[in-house]
Amino acid sequence: MKNFTHIDAQSIEHTIPLLDYYARPLAGGTDLIPLMREGVWQPDRLVNLKPLADLHFLREAGDGLHIGALTTLDELDRSPLVRERYQALAEAAHSAASPQLRNMATLGGNLLQQVRCWYYRGPFNCWMKGGDHCPARSGENEHHAVFDQSPCVAVYPSDPPAALITLDASIRIVGPDGARSVKVADFLAPPDELHRVMHGLGLNELITEIVVPHTTARSLYLKAMDRAVWAYALVSVAVAGEVANGTITNPRIVLGAVANVPVRLGAVEALIDGQLLTDELIKEAGTMATHGMEPLAHNHYKLPLARNLVRQALRDLTGQRM
Amino acid sequence: MPKLIKSEINVEGRITEEYAVVDGDELAAWGENEELAIVGQPAPRIDGAAKTTGEARFSYDVQLPGMLYAKVLRSPHPNARVLRVDASRAEQLPGVVVVLTHETAPDIKVREGKLPLLPEDARFAGELVAAVAATDPDIAADALALIEVEYETLPFITDFTLALEGSAPKVRPNGNVVSQPSVTERGDLKAGLAVADVRVELTVRTPTAVHNALETHGCVAAWEGDQLTMYESSQHVYGVRTFAAKKLGLPVSKVRAIGTYMGGGFGAKFPGQPYSMVAATLAKRSRRPVHLMYDREGENLESGYRGASVQHVKLGAKRDGSLTAIELDGLTECGSYANWVVSLGGPYAMMYTCPNVKLTTTGVHTNIGPFQAFRAPGFVEGMVGLEQGMDLLAEKLGMDPLELRRRNLAKLDQSEDKPFSSFPVEECYRRGAEAIGWNKRKPTNDQSRSSERLRRGTGMASQIWWGGGGPPAYAEVQLNGDGTATVLTGAQDLGTGARTIFAQVAAEELGLELGSVGVTIGDTYAGPFGPASGGSVTTGSMTPAVRSAANDLRVQLCSIVAQLEDVPEEELEVRGGTVYRRDTPVSSVKSIMRKLGDVMLIGKGSRGPNPSDVSVVTSGAQFAEVEVDTVTGRVRVIKIVAAHDSGRIVNPQTFTSQIQGGIIQGLGLALTEQRVIDHRAGQILNPNLEWYKLPTVADIPEIVNLLIDIPDTKANSLGSKGAGEPGIIPTAAAIANAVANALGVRIFELPITPARVLEALETIA
Ligand SMILES: Cc1cc2nc3c(=O)[nH]c(=O)nc-3n(C[C@H](O)[C@H](O)[C@H](O)COP(=O)(O)OP(=O)(O)OC[C@H]3O[C@@H](n4cnc5c(N)ncnc54)[C@H](O)[C@@H]3O)c2cc1C
Ligand code: SF4
């Protein structure tokens, strides 16, 4: 690992000018430090954000839930407020990683987690790392994308952001030119030639908080894994909607681990909005969820899995048990 | 008088015949109704507190004054010639003390007894190319990056299923078949298939599974003058001594090997691997102790695995179920180096009666690190093929799968035409079936049309393995001035509880309390020779030696008391720490020893010969209940019932731990664990615990371990056999059969991942 210096941040304002390609902010370190060990990233300096108390809070205000960027996944999972009103977020946080990691991992860092693709994390100079091709596309791609969104077929790995998108959350960002706010759904974007990351944060910007608007909708998060716990999603789904007498309104459905970004299923939402969720409609919704998916050689299973999870999520949301 | 004999040595199924010196007059075995106070009782590990508090010092923890840390440079290429190594920049890095490359390495032959320590031909990505010893592990790691190596890259093959094709690059000059295929044949296979009323044919695949012991491979090497001490995480401490002495040209008396505590081996930590000689060389050149322990990646790239297998199986049977033919044509992945090939055919040859058998296992070289024995090598994989075949046969015959097995159970060891010393599989079947509720099992075909989300299934599989142990194995027991005793042996405790059961056996034989017996283990300077802990032999080999030594000591003690108190020796007996004359207490052992001051009584013992007229095996069965989630495709194991014959159970607590550990590893093979290789690049994609998925605590089911506990009085003086391997042998097969029962469709390739379950469900939807 390359040598680096480590300094404690004093304030948000003091931190911004320090940041650039070679000086990165450090939160829980659960992704940044392994990337440095593997030599994928080699910053000269880390600016430790943890002393910044004004990034570490969880409170409800008039416009909704405000989550400081340093809030840990464990805090989200354990918060009675989040558990009761923003269930999908609590469930997604709970489903991530292991208890030890959730104690360290922050929501801000989670939004920026780099892909877990085993080529990216191994001895391959793949496209995402600045190389010129993607060995996963025709290689061992059982954990990869079923939507073709960029030269890279890695899936966006984090769980909570899919829940945040169904809850219509925004991110507050501070940079040299002041603060801005962006929807999580817009913040996450497939990489392109010049911008080989899956998010839109500038090198000299900080995430300060995540805001989830008030909602009366019910929501939930389902995650399929290949063992009981401590695994990335094979496919996941976050759903939200208002349910009364078996009828759903304002549904929002987002699939995780199928593309470079969480995928919102607008057509499925339109199909069921305002409808009585009959068994037939739920089946149709599941089938429609896989439209446009183009599996690679080793991930065909993601189609039936996405279909099944969407159906199950709608059944669970409306309290129907199969 | 000592007696010289020839004895079969069985290490993980590799059988050789060697000399052994044993006691002239062996103790009679403890009988079935022997009243024992300590042996047979559950006892927590005597080293449990040391381990849980972190006091126990593993090889990794060894810290010596002036010690250096070593790191190794690995070839990034699956097949390459090292043309040039320039270590000058690394050598100049402050803190670097020695750099070893193929040019500067000593002439020590390691792999297959003939290959150089740091080879110029790197035959797998991960092969050792250079090593650095520095004052700090980070400096050593930085130094590796400064070593410049020029490689000539060569064609490679990493897919063992393609390595036998004519166009495949040759991994070794003689090609990609490892020596001769191992063939077991009896009767006439063709005729056996021809007379069968029912035949089944199947192809089964098992994945590459990595041991991933919690403690990685490695050692600390320290010289004092011309004397070497090796602290090695090893399954054979005495073997470390022999290997080091031989390779370094030292008298055996100048080498001390120590392995006091160990974080698991599972078959991958037998002596003879290059790193220990790298460490010894670095230590010699630097004149400082050297700590060389692998990281998790090194563990996955170089340190062994259970090779993947492909098994083409044909079974034939009469209408009444009796087997007429078994054919196996199997391939096993061996990687770049191999001294031997596992036998996939073991269970096919041994478990059931069948007159016509032909079993072929071909070992295949690839440009991947070498395989190593892994907990019942060959037998775990073989059972997956055999027992799925038996279930298919039962379905075709319309017979209960357990009944089919009952009808075919072996009646004797068919390879040697000898009866078994003990083979209570019927009893294991009966008790296991009762505990799992076998009679409530639904027929397999009923479930394929079910619309239930969660589908339950039950399956079972049988187990056979050796595990009786044998000579040579030695122990000493000393009686100290305060009436406590110390067992001394150079055998090792891999974490199995061997230390604890040695204390139990000594305490029992000596008539002392368990708490008065200490055990010094895993040090060639402290105790006599103990065998390699592999093939589940430690209990069967060592406990009779410990008993024999304790008996020798007890006889001496009684003789001393007879002289001291002027009483007839034959009337004396020791119980609960007190010497009795008939039923009257004479004196406590403690006060006798106090009286004697610095006198030390030393008992010596050895393992007696194995019986020649019977074959000693362990046997049993496991039953699995699973629940398959048809939405996510995930298989959850709900319950495993295990019923294994390991003869007399010395300690039900440590015995059950062994069975549980085997089941958990078997469950991993069945459901989650598999190495993934990009064959185009020749690289392992998951040399880590993120993508090599071990089962987590949440994946572990309820495990019911039934204690069969029938002393095998013909096997040895304890009547005990091993338990390390039996527990893993049937697990994956039983789970595969349970999943097939749940789904009504069979998945012939392990692990049974959600992807495979979902794909299988799509085919029947
Ligand atoms: C073994 C393992 C398993 C895991 N499993 C899962 C899983 O199942 N699901 C899941 O969702 N995640 C999983 N994770 C990922 C984990 O949740 C993330 O690593 C974690 O959330 C990152 O948060 P952190 O605070 O540790 O970030 P860090 O590692 O500190 O930072 C990550 C990145 O974010 C940047 N950064 C951090 N905070 C800010 C900020 N406020 N403003 C600007 N930039 C910032 C850093 O500079 C760095 O680039 C797993 C991780 C591991 C190691
Ligand atoms: S999927 Fe993306 S991260 Fe993975 S190898 Fe391809 S480009 Fe690299």
Side-chain angles (χ1 to χ4, degrees):
Chain A
M1 182 155 128
K2 208 180 107 186
N3 285 344
F4 61 90
T5 55
H6 176 277
I7 55 171
D8 280 337
Q10 274 145 35
S11 66
I12 296 172
E13 302 68 48
H14 155 260
T15 302
I16 301 292
L18 298 176
L19 299 178
D20 61 26
Y21 181 79
Y22 299 100
R24 304 309 308 141
L26 172 71
T30 61
D31 195 25
L32 185 51
I33 302 296
L35 286 166
M36 289 166 62
R37 279 224 193 94
E38 292 155 15
V40 179
W41 284 0
Q42 308 196 322
D44 295 323
R45 181 192 266 188
L46 296 184
V47 186
N48 176 24
L49 302 181
K50 274 165 294 186
L52 301 181
D54 49 351
L55 291 183
H56 201 164
F57 56 83
L58 182 61
R59 62 168 176 260
E60 209 167 33
D63 57 345
L65 180 70
H66 290 243
I67 308 168
L70 288 180
T71 306
T72 66
L73 300 189
D74 182 66
E75 286 161 349
L76 288 174
D77 171 25
R78 284 171 195 269
S79 154
L81 176 64
V82 181
R83 281 193 173 192
E84 194 157 312
R85 305 247 199 97
Y86 310 92
Q87 302 93 335
L89 180 57
E91 289 171 12
H94 179 78
S95 78
S98 65
Q100 294 92 326
L101 283 158
R102 291 197 293 273
N103 277 330
M104 294 297 292
T106 65
L107 185 60
N110 185 263
L111 280 158
L112 303 171
Q113 181 179 194
Q114 291 297 107
V115 294
R116 306 305 299 198
C117 170
W118 44 29
Y119 291 93
Y120 179 84
R121 304 260 171 178
F124 296 85
N125 185 31
C126 74
W127 181 85
M128 195 69 166
K129 281 198 278 192
D132 45 35
H133 88 291
C134 165
R137 194 172 272 277
S138 55
E140 296 301 323
N141 49 34
E142 49 268 51
H143 295 288
H144 290 72
V146 287
F147 286 107
D148 195 357
Q149 296 180 323
S150 76
C152 168
V153 290
V155 297
Y156 179 71
S158 295
D159 290 297
L164 291 174
I165 294 173
T166 48
L167 297 171
D168 200 24
S170 308
I171 302 179
R172 294 258 164 89
I173 294 168
V174 175
D177 307 324
R180 65 184 175 109
S181 183
V182 55
K183 289 271 167 79
V184 175
D186 300 325
F187 178 73
L188 299 177
D192 59 38
E193 209 50 46
L194 297 176
H195 189 242
R196 296 186 188 185
V197 285
M198 289 172 175
H199 60 76
L201 193 75
L203 284 169
N204 51 5
E205 291 184 314
L206 279 184
I207 296 179
T208 54
E209 67 176 302
I210 293 90
V211 183
V212 188
H214 262 308
T215 175
T216 51
R218 266 202 247 168
S219 67
L220 59 85
Y221 187 75
L222 297 182
K223 174 178 177 182
M225 293 181 268
D226 46 18
R227 64 182 168 196
V229 293
W230 188 30
Y232 285 93
L234 298 171
V235 174
S236 67
V237 62
V239 297
E242 326 227 347
V243 182
N245 305 323
T247 298
I248 188 163
T249 44
N250 296 323
R252 294 172 70 94
I253 309 178
V254 176
L255 284 179
V258 293
N260 290 162
V261 292
V263 173
R264 189 155 166 210
L265 301 177
V268 181
E269 293 170 4
L271 174 78
I272 61 174
D273 193 4
Q275 304 292 316
L276 187 67
L277 280 180
T278 60
D279 200 45
E280 236 148 78
L281 188 61
I282 285 175
K283 280 200 171 136
E284 200 185 333
T287 308
M288 190 182 262
T290 64
H291 282 182
M293 288 186 181
E294 296 171 48
L296 302 164
H298 303 293
N299 65 7
H300 286 257
Y301 73 93
K302 288 199 174 187
L303 274 65
L305 184 51
R307 179 198 68 201
N308 294 351
L309 283 181
V310 167
R311 288 175 183 166
Q312 191 62 40
L314 292 175
R315 287 193 180 108
D316 288 355
L317 196 73
T318 50
Q320 299 177 25
R321 289 280 159 225
M322 185 178 145
Chain B
M1 275 300 280
K3 209 163 67 179
L4 180 68
I5 58 161
K6 279 245 171 180
S7 184
E8 275 188 358
I9 309 277
N10 185 332
V11 178
E12 305 284 12
R14 280 177 281 166
I15 301 172
T16 51
E17 210 181 39
E18 317 233 339
Y19 280 115
V21 172
V22 301
D23 289 353
D25 41 352
E26 235 219 313
L27 295 175
W30 279 327
E32 236 176 280
N33 300 318
E34 195 84 33
E35 278 183 35
L36 301 174
I38 297 170
V39 164
Q41 298 304 316
R45 286 161 197 256
I46 58 176
D47 51 4
K51 283 184 173 166
T52 44
T53 55
E55 269 164 35
R57 196 169 66 155
F58 293 78
S59 303
Y60 201 102
D61 303 324
V62 171
Q63 295 276 336
L64 300 170
M67 188 174 83
L68 302 177
Y69 292 86
K71 298 266 177 199
V72 293
L73 184 69
R74 299 179 178 282
S75 166
H77 305 294
N79 195 14
R81 246 192 113 68
V82 176
L83 298 179
R84 193 182 58 88
V85 186
D86 182 353
S88 51
R89 283 175 61 216
E91 279 161 348
Q92 279 152 24
L93 188 73
V96 170
V97 181
V98 194
V99 181
L100 208 60
T101 68
H102 74 87
E103 284 163 6
T104 55
D107 181 24
I108 295 175
K109 305 285 186 245
V110 278
R111 298 194 186 283
E112 299 177 359
K114 59 181 187 227
L115 293 159
L117 190 55
L118 297 177
E120 279 166 77
D121 295 302
R123 294 195 177 87
F124 63 94
E127 177 123 74
L128 299 188
V129 170
V132 174
T135 49
D136 168 289
D138 292 334
I139 294 176
D142 286 349
L144 293 182
L146 298 175
I147 300 176
E148 286 165 28
V149 188
E150 196 182 316
Y151 296 97
E152 176 191 348
T153 59
L154 301 166
F156 58 85
I157 176 104
T158 53
D159 184 342
F160 80 112
T161 64
L162 303 178
L164 296 185
E165 289 183 4
S167 58
K170 280 188 186 173
V171 178
R172 305 296 298 275
N174 292 335
N176 297 342
V177 175
V178 181
S179 62
Q180 287 299 307
S182 92
V183 183
T184 306
E185 211 169 350
R186 60 176 182 255
D188 180 343
L189 177 75
K190 269 205 180 130
L193 285 168
V195 300
D197 297 323
V198 175
R199 281 173 282 268
V200 295
E201 206 175 326
L202 61 155
T203 299
V204 168
R205 283 164 219 274
T206 62
T208 314
V210 187
H211 309 68
N212 270 317
L214 202 53
E215 182 189 31
T216 55
H217 282 63
C219 62
V220 175
W223 294 83
E224 275 172 273
D226 61 351
Q227 174 171 324
L228 173 67
T229 303
M230 298 288 293
Y231 301 84
E232 183 156 338
S233 178
S234 177
Q235 292 179 235
H236 195 198
V237 170
Y238 260 87
V240 169
R241 179 178 85 150
T242 313
F243 177 70
K246 192 166 149 204
K247 295 297 164 183
L248 298 167
L250 294 170
V252 161
S253 60
K254 296 274 187 194
V255 183
R256 177 179 187 183
I258 301 179
T260 325
Y261 291 100
M262 204 197 161
F266 308 117
K269 286 187 183 162
F270 292 106
Q273 298 175 51
Y275 62 82
S276 65
M277 288 303 100
V278 170
T281 305
L282 291 169
K284 182 152 201 180
R285 302 237 169 124
S286 63
R287 297 166 188 269
R288 291 165 74 167
V290 168
H291 181 280
L292 172 52
M293 297 293 301
Y294 281 178
D295 57 12
R296 187 56 58 189
E297 187 178 77
E299 196 67 11
N300 276 265
L301 296 180
E302 188 201 332
S303 303
Y305 51 86
R306 183 190 302 282
S309 80
V310 180
Q311 303 169 51
H312 303 290
V313 184
K314 280 186 200 155
L315 303 179
K318 289 295 206 187
R319 186 104 11 248
D320 69 357
S322 52
L323 286 165
T324 59
I326 304 179
E327 182 179 13
L328 163 71
D329 186 3
L331 289 187
T332 175
E333 175 195 29
C334 296
S336 44
Y337 305 107
N339 281 331
W340 63 295
V341 175
V342 304
S343 168
L344 299 169
Y348 296 85
M350 292 166 75
M351 194 73 231
Y352 303 115
T353 300
C354 183
N356 307 300
V357 165
K358 185 171 181 196
L359 313 167
T360 311
T361 306
T362 307
V364 185
H365 278 307
T366 59
N367 290 106
I368 288 288
F371 83 103
Q372 299 281 352
F374 186 169
R375 212 169 190 170
F379 276 59
V380 172
E381 304 90 298
M383 273 304 175
V384 171
L386 172 65
E387 290 294 65
Q388 296 201 75
M390 290 297 278
D391 263 30
L392 288 176
L393 198 57
E395 274 166 40
K396 248 191 165 165
L397 288 161
M399 194 180 281
D400 178 83
L402 188 53
E403 178 57 23
L404 176 67
R405 287 168 172 88
R406 275 203 182 100
R407 291 190 183 188
N408 283 292
L409 264 186
K411 299 198 168 48
L412 71 160
D413 180 342
Q414 297 162 89
S415 65
E416 301 195 39
D417 243 346
K418 272 193 225 171
F420 295 118
S421 57
S422 169
F423 192 63
V425 187
E426 294 256 12
E427 175 73 358
C428 298
Y429 284 170
R430 189 184 63 73
R431 290 185 54 193
E434 191 183 291
I436 199 84
W438 185 260
N439 55 9
K440 293 191 300 258
R441 176 179 180 271
K442 292 187 212 146
T444 290
N445 295 332
D446 279 16
Q447 304 216 48
S448 56
R449 284 173 303 279
S450 159
S451 61
E452 297 275 305
R453 171 177 178 183
L454 302 174
R455 292 190 206 158
R456 292 220 171 177
T458 308
M460 60 83 56
S462 310
Q463 177 251 317
I464 191 163
W465 178 253
W466 303 278
Y474 306 95
E476 284 178 23
V477 185
Q478 301 171 342
L479 194 56
N480 305 309
D482 62 351
T484 61
T486 310
V487 178
L488 296 150
T489 167
Q492 51 286 314
D493 184 339
L494 312 192
T496 58
R499 199 184 246 108
T500 305
I501 67 168
F502 296 172
Q504 284 179 279
V505 170
E508 182 77 51
E509 182 67 34
L510 277 172
L512 296 182
E513 310 279 343
L514 182 55
S516 318
V517 180
V519 180
T520 297
I521 208 173
D523 182 347
T524 59
Y525 270 22
F529 177 89
S533 292
S536 305
V537 303
T538 308
T539 297
S541 299
M542 281 306 304
T543 56
V546 172
R547 189 183 159 210
S548 155
N551 177 68
D552 181 28
L553 179 61
R554 191 173 50 81
V555 170
Q556 293 180 42
L557 176 66
C558 290
S559 161
I560 298 298
V561 174
Q563 296 171 49
L564 200 67
E565 309 282 337
D566 201 16
V567 289
E569 188 184 330
E570 13 0 301
E571 289 180 10
L572 296 180
E573 189 179 317
V574 197
R575 265 178 294 153
T578 300
V579 182
Y580 289 83
R581 179 179 182 188
R582 302 229 175 80
D583 281 333
T584 323
V586 178
S587 177
S588 72
V589 175
K590 198 189 244 172
S591 58
I592 295 162
M593 291 310 289
R594 286 241 165 91
K595 249 184 237 170
L596 295 176
D598 284 339
V599 165
M600 180 184 268
L601 301 182
I602 304 171
K604 297 191 175 179
S606 65
R607 166 64 149 86
N610 274 331
S612 53
D613 52 340
V614 287
S615 187
V616 179
V617 292
T618 58
S619 59
Q622 283 178 14
F623 296 76
E625 188 182 354
V626 303
E627 182 178 83
V628 187
D629 184 336
T630 56
V631 168
T632 63
R634 200 168 78 79
V635 175
R636 186 165 74 91
V637 181
I638 292 175
K639 186 173 185 176
I640 301 267
V641 172
H644 296 276
D645 163 47
S646 292
R648 177 192 305 283
I649 296 168
V650 180
N651 181 345
Q653 211 167 318
T654 52
F655 172 74
T656 296
S657 296
Q658 283 301 294
I659 300 299
Q660 288 170 339
I663 288 170
I664 293 164
Q665 259 174 346
L667 183 146
L669 183 81
L671 300 180
T672 60
E673 295 181 41
Q674 60 178 330
R675 169 178 282 173
V676 181
I677 300 170
D678 184 311
H679 295 299
R680 302 164 307 171
Q683 300 288 341
I684 296 170
L685 295 176
N686 58 348
N688 52 51
L689 297 183
E690 175 173 336
W691 291 111
Y692 184 86
K693 293 207 173 84
L694 295 168
T696 67
V697 172
D699 292 283
I700 295 168
E702 177 191 357
I703 296 175
V704 178
N705 182 36
L706 303 171
L707 303 176
I708 300 300
D709 203 10
I710 303 171
D712 188 342
T713 51
K714 293 190 190 119
N716 56 56
S717 74
L718 259 283
S720 290
K721 300 177 286 196
E725 278 146 313
I728 194 178
I729 290 172
T731 313
I735 291 172
N737 282 337
V739 172
N741 179 240
L743 293 180
V745 52
R746 188 172 285 275
I747 296 164
F748 288 97
E749 182 165 8
L750 301 186
I752 304 174
T753 56
R756 293 198 171 118
V757 170
L758 289 166
E759 276 157 16
L761 286 170
E762 290 299 289
T763 63
I764 55 170

